[in-house]
Amino acid sequence: MIVTGDVTQVDLPRGAASGLFDVDRLFQRIDDIGITYLDESDVVRHPLVGKIVGAYARLSLERDA
């Protein structure tokens, strides 16, 4: 099974928690589960899309700081 998601694009109603935020904490120690994170360098569409993804990633880091 493959589960995909983007924590920067959660479209749940305000106040509803996304399970994506718990994935690595819950599953990182289970040997049969692998987690892969993608960033703007993985975007193979127009270069502008990669820049937008990078901008959101930087905003997320600023919020966490």
Side-chain angles (χ1 to χ4, degrees):
M1 174 181 8
I2 297 173
V3 177
T4 63
D6 184 343
V7 295
T8 68
Q9 297 185 22
V10 174
D11 59 357
L12 296 171
R14 222 182 250 309
S18 170
L20 288 175
F21 293 103
D22 300 321
V23 167
D24 39 340
R25 181 176 53 83
L26 289 172
F27 301 145
Q28 67 184 346
R29 292 190 179 104
I30 300 175
D31 290 337
D32 294 328
I33 294 180
I35 299 174
T36 301
Y37 297 95
L38 305 177
D39 62 25
E40 65 267 20
S41 67
D42 297 297
V43 176
V44 293
R45 295 185 227 161
H46 191 279
L48 180 58
V49 176
K51 292 177 182 179
I52 291 169
V53 171
Y56 276 105
R58 286 188 298 279
L59 177 64
S60 178
L61 290 174
E62 290 171 8
R63 287 182 178 159
D64 291 342

